[in-house]
Amino acid sequence: MNKIIKPKVTLVGAGPGDPDLLTIKGAKALADANVVLYDALANEEILTYAPKKSIKIFVGKRKGCHEYTQDQINQLIVDNALTYGNVVRLKGGDPFIFGRGSEEIEYIESFGIPTAVIPGISSSIAVPANQGISLTKRGVSESFWVITGTTSDRKLSNDVALAAQSSATVVILMGMSKLDQIVALFQNESKGETPVAIIQNGTLPNEKVGVGTINTITKVVADNGLSSPAIIVIGEVVRESNKLKNFHQEFISNKVYARE
């Protein structure tokens, strides 16, 4: 007698990089998966929570190198759910923070397939926190912006210019290729001395952090070879981090360090 397939898709946020920052609920969902489709920013160590016999499919995207288009990913999720039943779609960070998670859910549900969402710890908050950077702090920052550096048409988000006019902390994801433009927008608002931290491979053993100001950060990046994936944090809260105090004392010297 053939087993009845009951399709279901669970969208799971993998967290910022460190596999220990996966949620317990996310680990439980993986344990029940027949198929896992995972992204480039989802740590592969997390796949150990899935059954050994489960099918693992890499559908990651990196700049200039896409394993699958988004449309192909959407169809893969549906096809695997209809064929194998329980699918986990594993996405880095939180799937609803620039992760196109809502698009995938809408497509899956158009086929009548039940879905569930398990939030992940967003890199936009966790990566700065790991460096002692509190995005809000009484008397320093009352709010924060989280902005994509690169929009769907490959341009810098217009919101960066608006954020530069505010006193809020600004966190920019996927913005390294637009760093010169970002710097220019803040300089236009006379914020050249505003502290900046760039955190590459946040929460991972090969994490690197560059610290400077709007006026010096491009040199920090060039001198130390910082690149994507990285998060840009702009605001006075960077100066408030106890973990980065030694860098603040010599801000103009373009400091960087790597975790060993």
Side-chain angles (χ1 to χ4, degrees):
M1 188 174 178
N2 291 334
K3 183 180 178 182
I4 297 173
I5 300 295
K6 293 183 178 180
K8 178 186 177 182
V9 177
T10 304
L11 195 60
V12 175
D18 183 342
D20 288 344
L21 292 175
L22 176 71
T23 65
I24 294 171
K25 193 167 185 177
K28 288 179 178 177
L30 282 163
D32 290 333
N34 297 323
V35 182
V36 181
L37 292 95
Y38 65 100
D39 278 352
L41 291 178
N43 193 318
E44 290 195 15
E45 288 182 40
I46 290 172
L47 297 177
T48 60
Y49 287 103
K52 287 185 178 180
K53 63 181 180 180
S54 63
I55 301 167
K56 286 93 172 175
I57 304 172
F58 175 72
V59 291
K61 300 191 197 91
R62 289 287 195 198
K63 184 179 178 182
C65 182
H66 289 192
E67 192 80 6
Y68 296 96
T69 67
Q70 187 62 52
D71 287 343
Q72 289 172 327
I73 292 170
N74 292 346
Q75 193 60 52
L76 269 174
I77 297 169
V78 168
D79 290 346
N80 279 279
L82 294 173
T83 304
Y84 299 106
N86 197 9
V87 171
V88 165
R89 175 69 171 105
L90 187 65
K91 300 177 75 70
D94 180 274
F96 281 3
I97 305 295
F98 306 124
R100 303 188 74 171
S102 59
E103 296 175 41
E104 294 180 6
I105 289 290
E106 288 168 8
Y107 186 81
I108 296 159
E109 289 183 344
S110 74
F111 289 83
I113 298 171
T115 64
V117 178
I118 299 176
I121 298 174
S122 174
S123 59
S124 61
I125 297 170
V127 168
N130 194 54
Q131 292 301 324
I133 300 171
S134 175
L135 298 187
T136 63
K137 185 175 181 180
R138 185 175 297 186
V140 180
S141 176
E142 298 174 356
S143 61
F144 61 91
W145 295 62
V146 178
I147 309 172
T148 178
T150 306
T151 62
S152 58
D153 58 1
R154 316 307 300 169
K155 294 180 180 178
L156 181 67
S157 170
N158 291 331
D159 286 347
V160 177
L162 296 174
Q165 297 172 29
S166 77
S167 60
T169 305
V170 181
V171 180
I172 302 175
L173 310 183
M174 300 172 286
M176 290 298 284
S177 65
K178 305 288 194 300
L179 185 60
D180 288 345
Q181 291 174 251
I182 293 165
V183 164
L185 288 171
F186 278 81
Q187 287 175 332
N188 287 344
E189 301 297 332
S190 301
K191 291 187 175 179
E193 297 306 312
T194 301
V196 182
I198 291 183
I199 308 165
Q200 179 182 337
N201 297 318
T203 77
L204 292 171
N206 59 340
E207 179 180 73
K208 292 172 69 177
V209 182
V211 179
T213 65
I214 285 293
N215 286 338
T216 66
I217 197 63
T218 53
K219 189 173 190 306
V220 173
V221 169
D223 288 352
N224 298 285
L226 293 170
S227 61
S228 299
I231 287 177
I232 304 167
V233 186
I234 304 170
E236 291 301 323
V237 293
V238 173
R239 205 189 305 272
E240 297 290 316
S241 166
N242 285 325
K243 194 168 182 178
L244 300 178
K245 282 294 185 189
N246 291 337
F247 297 98
H248 304 153
Q249 290 167 7
E250 298 181 66
F251 235 66
I252 60 171
S253 59
N254 304 339
K255 296 290 185 176
V256 68
Y257 76 88
R259 286 173 57 182
E260 300 298 333

